[in-house]
Amino acid sequence: MKTQLNIDFFGAAGEVTGSKHGLSGQCLGQPFKILIDYGMHQGGRDADEKNLRHLPWDPTAIDAITLTHAHIDHSGLLPRLCAQGFKGHIYCTAATFALLKILLLDSAHIQKNDYDRAVKKKERGRYRGELPAVLYSTHDVEACLKKVKVIDYNNPTEILPGITLEFHNAGHILGSAIATLDFRLDSDNSETYRVTASGDLGMFNKPLLPNPEYIHRTDALLIEATYGDRDHKSLDETRAELTEVINKTLAHGGNIIMPAFAVGRAQEILLMLMALVKAQKVPELHVWLDSPMAVAATHLTEQYFSELDEDAQALITWYKRNPHALHLRFVADVEESKALNRIRSGAVIISASGMCEAGRILHHLKHNLPDARNAIIMTGFQAYGTLGRRIVDGQTMVRIMGEEINVKASVHTIGGLSAHAGQADLLNWLKGFQRAPQKTYIVHGETEPTQIFQKKIMSELGWLGVQVAKALQHERLLDQ
Ligand SMILES: [Zn+2]
């Protein structure tokens, strides 16, 4: 019986958002269509237009979706595809499913709020251009979540006749997975053709999550290359910088405000703070985690304790026995959050959003920026055009919630924390393959990082058949 396999790059080819790839053909004579991820395009003027564009495949003809992790740029259009008639299952890990419930509902709320706000502005004649797209409702999200089937890590599962899916820990965010798909070539023996999708890979030796699991064999590989052109600052440097800022600020009687992405980064920061107190590099700290989504993600992290890095597990166990080390408080309601504005000294406040665009971080910045004793510590990438970027770029006056605010607090950027593997980590992970895949496709990266990474793979590992995937590229992988 015939096995034939094609690949299509529908998104995250030459860019970092909108991850969606298609595998199609016949396995043991049976036709199939599988998607790997179905993410939203984010940022940039044409994101709405790309998100509204129809997939070249008929949604009702797709058999299954493999989801590597819950980030919106990998999962964010799933409710739309379900509403358009997708009838199969969405396969992901248990933690991804738990995060998906939080992130997809949040995405639907944000879309509705943005739309309502734009309509109101338009009524007052203060909105020009197209209204923002509403891609799906919370009702669509609920319907989509019903299609999820959970598969544990390292548990090969036949999802369609002759096609077996296995998830391996990618160490990127909670629940993140590298997916291997094995296609049987013959009903009589166990020979298979393997496609591996790296998904997003985490840094090696970071706080919180384990290193990405090595895969030893594959025929075709999709590898992300967000940071294919560079390495991150070392974690030791990051810890040293953090220690210095905390001690200086507390000594001067100031507060420390840390904008952080709610899922992943906020939990990594908590662990780093715990580790610094444990090592007696900083005094016992008073920490408020002030973001409903970050609080939910932190509870989930505790729930999936066994999936965390061993060092992280040991640290959390130590903290449970020494809770005074970090007087950690989860801030529930908005009133409590606003009450934090009265604290004049000694508070560490972790809040979202990570780029200071919305959420409770805004009023913390408003109240703490005008005092030179305070410190603002940026812990993640600040995109051009965001409030976070304006603060990092050294503006002395910024507009927050309609008010001009003086920036007198010191501003610091802690650069070593990233959800993505740097170049050396990516190469290290590739070295886990015993021999080069027949075909390697570089995805999830901008033009320069992907090209630099392509050359690096060929020169350092001596691999052939390495290409940078192009948008809407279609390739035959196998025909036999
Ligand atoms: Zn991601």
Side-chain angles (χ1 to χ4, degrees), residues 203 227-234 415-416 418 420-427 456:
M203 287 167 69
Y227 291 102
D229 56 341
R230 65 201 127 133
D231 286 320
H232 302 300
K233 240 185 219 177
S234 82
S418 172
H420 289 271
Q423 188 193 59
D425 283 343
L426 289 170
L427 286 168
K456 194 84 186 169

Side-chain angles (χ1 to χ4, degrees), residues 50-281:
K50 284 182 182 167
N51 289 327
L52 288 167
R53 210 180 276 163
H54 280 270
L55 186 72
W57 288 358
D58 173 6
T60 61
I62 298 165
D63 300 291
I65 300 172
T66 294
L67 178 62
T68 61
H69 66 287
H71 273 153
I72 288 298
D73 65 315
H74 290 254
S75 71
L77 290 183
L78 287 170
R80 189 168 167 80
L81 195 73
C82 293
Q84 288 169 338
F86 168 69
K87 291 193 174 52
H89 292 303
I90 299 165
Y91 295 93
C92 64
T93 64
T96 293
F97 184 34
L99 279 174
L100 212 53
K101 291 178 201 167
I102 301 172
L103 293 175
L104 286 180
L105 282 174
D106 182 63
S107 168
H109 284 302
I110 291 172
Q111 291 172 44
K112 183 165 186 317
N113 289 344
D114 286 353
Y115 180 82
D116 289 348
R117 212 175 300 138
V119 167
K120 275 194 194 134
K121 270 193 173 176
K122 195 162 191 166
E123 282 166 3
R124 281 181 273 139
R126 287 175 50 202
Y127 193 91
R128 269 187 230 146
E130 298 271 319
L131 289 170
V134 176
L135 299 163
Y136 45 83
S137 65
T138 53
H139 175 79
D140 295 329
V141 172
E142 302 288 353
C144 167
L145 292 170
K146 292 205 173 85
K147 298 191 186 299
V148 171
K149 279 245 184 302
V150 162
I151 297 183
D152 291 332
Y153 287 123
N154 310 111
N155 179 29
T157 304
E158 191 174 48
I159 57 166
L160 292 168
I163 304 175
T164 299
L165 167 65
E166 184 174 352
F167 287 131
H168 312 260
N169 201 327
H172 166 63
I173 58 166
L174 201 64
S176 65
I178 299 155
T180 54
L181 282 148
D182 286 306
F183 299 83
R184 280 184 73 175
L185 298 179
D186 198 315
S187 48
D188 300 331
N189 64 39
S190 59
E191 208 190 333
T192 63
Y193 183 93
R194 174 174 285 184
V195 178
T196 299
S198 73
D200 289 356
L201 294 173
M203 287 167 69
F204 279 73
N205 306 318
K206 66 195 166 305
L208 199 63
L209 295 173
N211 292 343
E213 197 180 311
Y214 291 108
I215 310 295
H216 302 298
R217 170 189 85 78
T218 197
D219 297 293
L221 172 67
L222 278 65
I223 170 94
E224 73 121 323
T226 317
Y227 291 102
D229 56 341
R230 65 201 127 133
D231 286 320
H232 302 300
K233 240 185 219 177
S234 82
L235 269 163
D236 285 341
E237 272 174 89
T238 305
R239 283 190 197 101
E241 285 175 354
L242 196 55
T243 306
E244 200 189 317
V245 181
I246 292 173
N247 285 330
K248 235 189 213 163
T249 310
L250 295 181
H252 291 131
N255 291 325
I256 296 160
I257 309 296
M258 302 178 84
F261 303 117
V263 177
R265 187 57 39 81
Q267 294 77 38
E268 283 173 349
I269 291 168
L270 284 175
L271 275 181
M272 284 189 98
L273 295 178
M274 270 177 212
L276 292 181
V277 179
K278 182 168 183 261
Q280 297 182 328
K281 302 258 192 221

